[in-house]
């Protein structure tokens, strides 16, 4: 059941008119005879709204700074001449304000007459009917006639811009209130919109008077949300009409974890509107969460269970019972023949905490081993290890909002405008307010040198040299006397610190020595280190460009060392902040998905911990860690690992060295895939269990801030069963009962067994909106900032981070370094975003190459190029880009046929086996045909799609439960 607090009103909702102001000083005034006390700096409009006095307005909205253009919010102030705008006039002590009088009513009606005389009168057929502030204001001001008539010059016949796939711009309805322009600047930070022309000619224009699709617009939808009329309107609303109810849920794309209102008509989503009360996003969103949800009802969804004996056999659509019976009997057959450890499971960061918890429980309790791993293995496992070793907890230290207090922001190996767009908007805003930015990244990413954001330092290091760079920054801090001595003395282990200090002070770690390997001038490294150490509150944000390396864990520890050395831990505006890739990376790690850890990061060898789970689950647990994902592949190829249950994770596309992974798949006897589409892994499966999208799920996600948020079902599961029910049904057939009636009961068990989750329940989440763990008796409202009075592990531990060059070296045969990343409009393996209109922005992966490297090879823009590494070869089209440094090439990995992971090797992080996706030595040369792998893939893919089609056309639909 949906909690009443989760049901919200569709549409614009309550609006205080101007943003909240924070001040210690309270100001008391009188509005319409009511005494009001508000923080100094508050507008009269907001003060009035706080007492339910709603002053008419059009250009004001509480997410944007006031602008004062519409003149609808005029008020009278005793002792003052004229009629000031209440949105731009701050309160003053003793002020006496009147918001209603015959004169004010006249003035407002006059304003409305002017607007309406240049506005189509098609309210009854307008898409915004019922959700239009202009319409509301016409009612509020009592507009009854338009004396100016409609015959004069007007914009009523202006042409629509339909270029954006998700929203239209209809200039005939524009009242030039500027809200969209301000939203694009203040909220999104893209500055794509302007008001071009003056007076009557004034109109909103994207870019240089271009269609939206040709401008810098990134389709975040902030302008659409801000528009008070139907001028900027979602196409889905135009097609489907206004929603009639809304439910609060959480985005299922990236680790920002934006809260949304799913605005519905019956069981259909009309639009997803970013939720203003969501603390991760505060009413903002990006093109993925806001618009790219159509995949949920895409015709290629798998909705019926299927089985086959061999992957060359046609699929057979079967009942849930038959599919689950078959999967269970196969797993038991394999265990009887090859031993208990011959099977395992993979959980996914796409799934909810509850689903993930159940899969690891299934593996440990029903399979009877610890062979469970998660896709976090291939992204942020070094974060878990590195932060645990140094700070004592495997998670980021701050809220996203904390960046509002940062004076220096260091971004390393992350590209927030593409990977974490809503966080990027916060970051850009803080930089516009004056914070200094340091970017450590091989590429000149957008935030290095955007039109409104410039980094004070960009250190374009060679891929694979992060540890050397971090050590050089530390060297400057230590040798130039920039250490936070008092913080270190009080909060960190003395001996470890002294050893670390002596180590980083060695000449081999000096910027001058390190510049040889990183390729970054020593002066730049010194400047950045001084700024980080002395610029005030300094916060580090990092991503997969840090973790996905042979020394990923070492760099994470090096980053933690830097923060401790400068005292930048334990308060607002500082900290160490991993930007998690997928929506529930944090949660999948928290839930015990790693083969060596039970939920809450407790080692399986800890007898006391194990005993608690054994008592609760009624089984004996293995005390030895199980297989990690790469070990599973190796064991499969060697013949000792024969069966896999893989929920919501496309290992064939996303893991490195595709041909090795495919060989492992082919070697197994039973692969059970639970997913929403026939993904690359499912093409090797023997049992395909249809999964559900976030719109069909009840559960929780945990974002990069450790924020646990509810995911609420708004549509019935298309396959008839929820994913958690499927896991339970499989366990039952394996002889293990999991008696839960609702995901809330799974969370109750997690809370009982996990100290950091002890205070978490659905009731608490519904009440609080979201909670950041640890949430328990010591922190009943959760923990926004960690390590405040001391580190979780007691004293912070500096760890020596010796730079060891990766084995992946350039040679004359492989002279370039390939690094990979993702793009704003697409998402990871692309299974969802490729099935939306987002393909209009990015419909193929390309290879970015510096013009110098391209010229040396005779490569021009758009040429087909072969990219060959020690692992394999693929062919993509080239894009010449000066964002690259010479010697480094880059690609995304959103399309399976690109085969980006055919080239990546199986080098991995020494501590966690996280693959070294970010460093692959390659050669790039012009070619005229696809690679041998691509040709083979094409045939395999075609066959698998035919086998699926055959199954689908030969059966009748199975009705949903
Ligand atoms: S959709 Fe976003 S980026 Fe595009 S114009 Fe609107 S606010 Fe700007
Ligand atoms: S498009 Fe909408 S928000 Fe922008 S100026 Fe026109 S009416 Fe205002
Ligand atoms: S920033 Fe991330 S969580 Fe927010 S809407 Fe975009 S993809 Fe979803
Ligand atoms: S709302 Fe105040 S001037 Fe427009």
């Amino acid at each position: 059941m949906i909690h009443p607090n989760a049901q919200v009103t569709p549409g614009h909702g309550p609006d205080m008119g101007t943003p909240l102001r924070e001040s210690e000083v309270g100001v008391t005034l009188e509005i319409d005879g009511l005494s009001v006390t508000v923080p100094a700096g508050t507008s009269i409009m907001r003060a009035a709204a706080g007492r339910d006095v709603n002053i008419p307005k059009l250009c004001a909205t509480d997410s944007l700074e006031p602008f004062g253009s519409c003149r609808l919010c005029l008020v009278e102030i005793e002792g003052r001449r004229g009629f000031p705008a209440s949105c731009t006039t701050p309160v003053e002590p003793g002020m006496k304000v009147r918001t209603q009088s015959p004169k004010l009513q006249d003035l407002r009606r006059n304003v409305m007459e002017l607007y309406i005389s240049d506005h189509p009168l098609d309210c009854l057929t307008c898409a915004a009917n019922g959700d239009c502030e202009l319409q509301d204001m016409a009612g509020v001001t009592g507009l009854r006639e338009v004396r100016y008539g409609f015959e004069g010059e007007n914009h009523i016949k202006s042409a629509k811009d339909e270029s954006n796939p998700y929203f239209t711009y209809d200039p005939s309805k524009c009242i030039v209130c500027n809200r969209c322009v301000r939203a694009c600047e203040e909220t999104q930070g893209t500055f794509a919109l302007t008001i071009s022309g003056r007076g009557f000619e004034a109109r909103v224009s994207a870019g240089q008077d271009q269609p939206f699709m040709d401008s810098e617009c990134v389709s975040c939808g902030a302008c659409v949300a801000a528009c008070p009329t139907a001028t900027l309107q979602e196409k889905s609303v135009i097609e489907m009409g206004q929603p009639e109810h809304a439910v609060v849920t959480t985005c299922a794309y990236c680790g920002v974890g934006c809260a949304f209102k799913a605005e519905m008509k019956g069981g259909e989503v009309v639009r997803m509107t970013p939720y203003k009360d969501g603390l991760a996003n505060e009413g903002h969103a990006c093109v993925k969460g806001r618009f790219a949800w159509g995949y949920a009802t895409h015709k290629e969804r798998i909705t019926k269970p299927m089985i086959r004996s061999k992957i060359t056999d046609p699929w057979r659509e079967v009942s849930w019972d038959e599919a689950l019976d078959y999967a269970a009997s196969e797993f038991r057959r394999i265990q009887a023949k090859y031993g208990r450890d011959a099977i395992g499971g993979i959980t996914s960061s796409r799934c909810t905490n509850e689903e993930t918890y159940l899969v690891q429980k299934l593996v440990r309790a029903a399979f009877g081993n610890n062979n469970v791993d998660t896709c976090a293995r291939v992204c942020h496992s070094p974060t878990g290890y590195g932060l645990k070793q140094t700070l004592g907890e495997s998670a980021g230290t701050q809220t996203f909002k904390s960046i509002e207090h940062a004076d220096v922001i260091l971004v390393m190996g992350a590209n927030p405008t593409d990977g974490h767009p809503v966080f990027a908007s916060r970051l850009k805003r803080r930089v516009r307010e004056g914070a200094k930015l340091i970017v450590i990244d091989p590429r000149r990413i957008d935030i290095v040198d955007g039109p409104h954001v410039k980094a004070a330092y960009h250190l374009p290091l060679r891929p694979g040299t992060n540890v050397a760079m971090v050590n050089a920054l530390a060297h400057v801090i230590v040798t130039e006397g920039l250490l936070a001595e008092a913080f270190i003395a009080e909060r960190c282990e003395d001996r470890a610190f002294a050893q670390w200090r002596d180590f980083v002070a060695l000449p081999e770690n000096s910027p001058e020595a390190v510049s040889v390997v990183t390729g970054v001038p020593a002066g730049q490294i010194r400047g950045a280190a001084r700024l980080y150490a002395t610029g005030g509150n300094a916060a580090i944000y990092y991503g997969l460009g840090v973790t996905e390396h042979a020394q990923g864990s070492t760099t994470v520890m090096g980053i933690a060392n830097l923060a401790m050395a400068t005292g930048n831990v334990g308060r607002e505006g500082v900290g160490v902040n991993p930007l998690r890739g997928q929506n529930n990376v944090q949660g999948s790690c928290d839930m015990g998905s790693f083969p060596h850890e039970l939920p809450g990061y407790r080692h399986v060898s800890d007898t006391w911990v194990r005993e608690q789970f054994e008592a609760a689950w009624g089984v004996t647990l293995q005390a030895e860690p199980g297989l990690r994902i790469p070990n599973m592949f190796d064991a499969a190829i060697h013949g000792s690992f024969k069966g896999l249950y893989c929920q919501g994770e496309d290992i064939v596309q996303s893991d490195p060295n595709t041909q090795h992974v495919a060989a492992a798949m082919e070697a197994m006897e039973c692969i059970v895939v639970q997913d929403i589409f026939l993904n690359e892994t499912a093409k090797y499966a023997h049992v395909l269990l249809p999964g559900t999208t976030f719109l069909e799920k009840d559960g929780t996600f945990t974002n990069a801030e450790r924020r646990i948020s509810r995911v609420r079902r708004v549509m019935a599961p298309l396959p008839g069963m929820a994913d958690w029910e499927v896991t339970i049904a499989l366990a039952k057939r394996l002889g293990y009962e999991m008696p839960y009636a609702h995901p809330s009961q799974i969370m109750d068990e997690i809370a009982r067994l996990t100290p950091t989750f002890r205070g978490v329940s659905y009731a608490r989440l519904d009440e609080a909106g979201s909670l950041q763990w640890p949430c328990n008796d010591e922190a009943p409202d959760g923990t926004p900032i960690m390590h405040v009075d001391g580190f979780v592990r007691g004293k912070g531990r500096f760890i020596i981070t010796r730079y060891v060059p990766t084995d992946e070296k350039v040679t004359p045969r492989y002279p370039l370094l390939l690094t990979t990343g993702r793009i704003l409009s697409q998402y990871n393996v692309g299974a969802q975003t490729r099935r939306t209109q987002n393909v209009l922005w990015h419909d193929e992966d390309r290879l970015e190459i510096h013009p110098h490297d391209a010229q040396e090879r005779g490569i021009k823009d758009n040429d087909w190029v072969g990219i060959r590494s020690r692992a394999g070869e693929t062919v993509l089209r080239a894009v010449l880009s000066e964002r690259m440094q010479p010697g480094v090439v880059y690609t995304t990995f959103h399309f399976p046929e690109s085969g980006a992971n055919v080239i990546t090797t199986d080098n991995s992080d020494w501590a966690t086996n996280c693959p070294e996706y970010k460093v692959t030595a390659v050669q790039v040369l012009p070619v005229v045909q696809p690679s041998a792998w691509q040709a083979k893939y094409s045939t395999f893919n075609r066959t698998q799609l035919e086998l699926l089609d055959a199954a689908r056309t030969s059966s009748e639909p199975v009705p949903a439960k």
Side-chain angles (χ1 to χ4, degrees):
M1 196 189 87
I2 293 166
H3 188 273
N5 288 356
Q7 297 261 23
V8 286
T9 333
H12 283 94
D15 187 335
M16 304 292 281
T18 63
L20 177 72
R21 298 286 183 237
E22 282 170 9
S23 173
E24 306 275 292
V25 183
V27 173
T28 302
L29 70 158
E30 206 178 283
I31 300 176
D32 293 345
L34 298 168
S35 176
V36 187
T37 302
V38 289
T42 302
S43 69
I44 293 175
M45 176 179 278
R46 189 173 178 108
R51 292 297 305 260
D52 289 330
V53 175
N54 293 311
I55 302 173
K57 61 182 168 46
L58 275 172
C59 68
T61 182
D62 56 12
S63 56
L64 301 170
E65 290 301 317
F67 190 63
S69 70
C70 75
R71 310 297 292 164
L72 204 61
C73 68
L74 309 183
V75 291
E76 292 171 4
I77 302 176
E78 198 174 283
R80 260 199 221 180
R81 295 179 53 193
F83 302 92
S86 62
C87 62
T88 47
T89 309
V91 294
E92 285 175 24
M95 230 179 201
K96 287 195 165 60
V97 179
R98 285 181 73 184
T99 70
Q100 294 296 339
S101 72
K103 179 68 192 164
L104 289 171
Q105 190 73 355
D106 257 10
L107 288 169
R108 288 175 186 152
R109 204 177 291 133
N110 214 1
V111 169
M112 284 305 297
E113 274 189 82
L114 282 167
Y115 279 130
I116 299 299
S117 68
D118 189 10
H119 197 85
L121 294 182
D122 62 351
C123 289
L124 285 182
T125 52
C126 175
N129 188 12
D131 186 30
C132 171
E133 294 180 46
L134 189 68
Q135 193 181 43
D136 296 345
M137 289 305 114
V140 165
T141 55
L143 186 70
R144 296 289 173 266
E145 58 173 338
V146 177
R147 285 167 295 165
Y148 312 110
F150 300 94
E151 282 72 43
E153 206 181 350
N154 60 43
H155 299 88
I156 291 171
K157 298 223 174 335
S158 308
K160 280 188 190 178
D161 174 358
E162 303 260 19
S163 62
N164 184 291
Y166 298 120
F167 61 84
T168 58
Y169 169 54
D170 179 354
S172 73
K173 297 194 166 165
C174 179
I175 57 169
V176 202
C177 66
N178 208 282
R179 274 163 65 161
C180 55
V181 178
R182 285 177 284 146
C184 193
E185 293 176 7
E186 293 174 27
T187 310
Q188 165 58 21
T190 291
F191 293 74
L193 300 179
T194 47
I195 301 288
S196 64
R198 292 180 156 213
F200 175 79
E201 298 301 328
R203 270 308 171 256
V204 171
S205 122
Q208 312 293 315
D209 255 328
Q210 294 158 295
F212 271 76
M213 271 308 262
D214 298 346
S215 72
E216 309 87 348
C217 168
V218 293
S219 198
C220 70
C223 56
V224 183
C227 182
T229 65
T231 312
L232 288 162
Q233 182 73 63
E234 295 92 348
K235 287 184 174 171
S236 56
V237 175
I238 295 173
E239 278 157 27
M240 300 171 72
Q242 288 290 323
E244 38 77 16
H245 74 277
V247 177
V248 178
T249 190
T250 306
C251 179
Y253 280 118
C254 86
V256 177
C258 295
F260 277 89
K261 288 196 290 187
E263 301 199 19
M264 311 289 298
K265 220 174 187 175
E268 281 189 274
V269 179
V270 176
R271 68 177 164 196
M272 297 292 287
T273 315
Y275 186 46
K276 280 207 275 195
D277 292 339
L279 295 176
N281 56 322
E282 295 184 323
H284 191 31
C286 81
V287 61
K288 294 189 285 287
R290 177 78 155 95
F291 295 118
W293 38 267
Y295 69 88
T297 48
H298 194 278
K299 61 180 179 355
E300 288 169 12
R301 275 284 302 272
I302 303 291
T303 55
K304 292 170 205 123
M306 291 187 278
I307 59 176
R308 58 183 177 182
S309 310
K310 300 195 295 294
I311 67 165
T312 47
D313 288 349
W315 283 107
R316 198 160 59 81
E317 285 187 347
V318 293
S319 67
W320 275 106
D321 278 339
E322 187 175 349
L324 291 165
D325 285 346
Y326 181 74
S329 70
E330 277 296 280
F331 284 151
R332 282 298 182 235
R333 178 188 67 76
I334 289 170
Q335 286 190 306
K337 186 167 171 191
Y338 300 100
R340 184 175 58 166
D341 296 339
I343 63 173
I346 294 178
T347 72
S348 169
S349 303
R350 318 305 324 278
C351 297
T352 63
N353 286 317
E354 293 74 5
E355 289 159 357
T356 305
Y357 177 85
L358 284 197
V359 174
Q360 63 87 34
K361 181 172 176 179
L362 170 91
V363 171
R364 297 190 206 277
F367 290 4
N369 61 44
N370 282 320
N371 291 338
V372 60
D373 208 353
T374 168
C375 51
R377 165 75 51 219
V378 299
C379 70
H380 266 287
S381 50
T383 289
Y385 180 84
L387 296 186
K388 183 101 179 169
Q389 293 296 311
T390 46
L391 310 181
E393 191 56 271
S394 306
T397 61
Q398 310 295 121
T399 58
F400 290 133
K401 197 172 176 61
S402 158
I403 201 167
E404 292 172 8
H405 301 271
D407 303 305
V408 179
I409 302 164
L410 192 159
V411 176
M412 184 168 188
N415 184 9
T417 49
D418 285 52
H420 302 86
V422 165
F423 169 70
S425 293
R426 284 185 192 264
L427 182 153
K428 289 190 285 186
R429 190 181 320 150
R430 186 62 192 148
V431 173
R432 289 199 303 277
E433 288 166 356
K436 297 280 185 290
L437 177 63
I438 301 168
V439 177
I440 305 179
D441 198 283
R443 290 195 310 152
R444 193 154 46 75
I445 54 176
D446 287 353
I447 53 170
V448 169
D449 196 11
H452 300 276
V453 180
K454 295 230 181 310
Y457 290 95
H458 173 215
L459 311 182
L461 77 182
R462 305 265 301 155
T465 61
N466 284 335
V467 174
M469 176 60 76
V470 167
N471 287 346
L473 295 170
H475 178 94
V476 177
I477 290 164
V478 165
T479 57
E480 295 191 8
L482 307 179
L483 287 165
E485 304 277 5
F487 178 94
I488 296 165
E490 187 194 331
R491 305 229 356 212
C492 302
E493 287 181 5
D494 299 342
R495 194 145 163 266
F497 165 67
Q499 288 169 345
W500 173 82
R501 182 194 55 207
D502 294 347
F503 161 72
V504 293
L506 294 172
E508 72 203 42
N509 292 319
S510 70
E512 290 69 23
V514 161
S515 73
V516 178
V517 283
T518 59
V520 180
Q524 290 287 301
I525 302 175
R526 283 194 183 276
R530 288 172 192 148
L531 176 59
Y532 174 73
T534 64
N537 284 341
I540 302 180
Y541 296 86
Y542 70 88
L544 305 183
V546 160
T547 54
E548 290 176 342
H549 286 269
Q551 281 201 289
S553 294
T554 317
T555 312
V556 173
M557 293 189 289
I559 283 172
N561 289 340
L562 284 178
M564 289 189 289
T566 52
N568 278 311
V569 188
R571 60 179 193 282
E572 292 277 18
V574 299
V576 177
N577 304 285
L579 294 173
R580 309 286 188 158
Q582 306 200 73
N583 52 322
N584 201 32
V585 176
Q586 182 68 57
S588 75
C589 300
D590 301 341
M591 292 299 106
S593 297
F594 289 129
H596 66 293
E597 280 170 344
L598 287 157
Y601 302 97
R602 287 158 306 154
H603 205 278
V604 290
S605 63
D606 184 326
T607 308
W608 186 78
V609 172
R610 228 175 37 255
E611 279 171 1
Q612 291 173 58
F613 283 91
E614 287 176 341
W617 294 352
V619 292
T620 304
L621 296 172
Q622 274 187 343
E624 294 295 319
L627 297 175
R628 296 172 174 183
I629 291 172
N631 309 133
M632 292 181 194
F633 297 152
D634 291 344
I637 287 169
H638 292 131
S640 58
F641 189 78
K642 294 285 186 183
L644 180 68
Y645 175 42
C646 183
Q647 185 186 70
E649 166 64 359
D650 191 355
I651 43 180
V652 172
Q653 192 180 337
S654 61
D655 281 51
N657 198 348
T658 306
Q659 296 178 97
H660 180 74
V661 179
M665 295 287 115
E666 282 167 350
M668 283 187 243
E669 293 182 7
C670 181
I671 296 175
V672 179
V673 166
Q674 188 173 2
D675 221 305
I676 57 175
F677 296 112
L678 182 86
N679 62 18
E680 299 310 303
T681 308
K683 290 171 188 164
Y684 291 91
H686 306 90
V687 180
L688 184 47
L689 304 175
T692 60
T693 68
F694 77 115
L695 295 169
E696 298 145 80
K697 288 180 194 290
D698 257 317
T700 54
F701 292 152
T702 308
N703 77 351
E705 308 165 290
R706 294 169 276 106
R707 184 183 301 286
I708 308 158
S709 302
R710 283 282 277 114
V711 182
R712 294 184 176 90
R713 176 189 289 194
V714 297
M715 288 167 28
L718 291 191
M721 274 179 93
D723 301 66
W724 62 275
E725 292 173 311
V726 175
T727 309
I728 290 172
L730 180 59
K732 187 179 164 95
R733 283 164 174 81
L734 290 165
Y736 185 73
E737 296 280 346
M738 295 192 198
Y740 309 101
H742 187 266
S744 63
Q745 295 172 358
I746 306 171
M747 178 53 81
D748 292 343
E749 180 175 309
I750 295 166
R752 275 197 304 280
L753 289 168
T754 314
T756 45
F757 274 64
R758 194 132 298 158
V760 181
S761 67
Y762 280 21
R764 277 290 288 128
L765 287 168
D766 285 337
E767 193 179 70
S770 59
L771 290 165
Q772 285 173 278
W773 67 258
C775 176
N776 45 29
D777 288 347
E778 292 79 55
D781 296 324
T783 310
I785 296 181
M786 296 203 74
H787 315 294
V788 173
D789 298 316
F791 288 100
V792 169
R793 69 181 301 280
K795 295 258 181 181
R797 180 170 159 224
F798 283 86
I799 294 185
I800 289 179
T801 53
R802 207 172 297 285
Y803 170 59
V804 181
T806 167
D807 290 341
E808 189 65 11
K809 297 195 175 32
V810 290
T811 60
R813 192 147 181 239
Y814 302 108
L816 301 171
L817 286 178
L818 170 78
T819 187
T820 59
R822 63 187 203 215
I823 200 158
L824 171 67
S825 54
Q826 292 290 339
Y827 186 70
N828 283 11
V829 295
Q832 291 129 300
T833 44
R834 280 188 277 112
R835 291 178 172 95
T836 69
Q837 301 268 42
N838 279 26
V839 288
L840 292 177
W841 283 277
H842 184 84
D843 61 358
E844 68 176 271
D845 295 318
R846 301 208 176 189
L847 186 84
E848 282 187 41
I849 182 167
H850 190 273
H852 173 77
D853 293 326
Q855 196 186 19
E856 267 191 347
R857 292 164 172 77
I859 295 168
K860 297 186 296 308
D861 240 354
N862 275 331
D863 279 356
W864 290 105
V865 291
I867 308 135
R868 194 176 62 235
S869 75
R870 295 175 182 95
E873 180 172 5
T874 197
V875 171
L876 299 174
R877 277 198 289 166
V879 177
L880 274 52
S881 165
E882 300 219 343
R883 299 206 304 180
M884 305 309 303
Q885 51 177 289
V888 180
V889 291
Y890 170 87
T891 189
T892 49
F893 44 74
H894 304 303
F895 292 81
E897 61 275 18
S898 306
N901 282 322
V902 172
I903 353 175
T904 51
T905 66
D906 39 23
N907 286 346
S908 66
D909 175 45
W910 62 271
T912 65
N913 271 149
C914 180
E916 193 175 38
Y917 291 110
K918 304 296 181 189
V919 193
T920 308
V922 295
Q923 177 58 294
V924 176
L925 292 170
V927 293
V928 289
Q929 59 183 24
S931 71
W933 177 83
Q934 280 165 315
K936 193 169 148 216
Y937 170 79
S938 173
T939 310
F940 175 71
N941 185 45
R942 200 171 42 247
T943 309
Q944 289 301 322
L945 293 177
E946 283 165 8
L947 294 174
L948 177 68
D949 278 351
R952 284 182 147 175
T953 46
S954 69
S955 72
E956 289 301 312
V958 177
K961 259 190 189 171

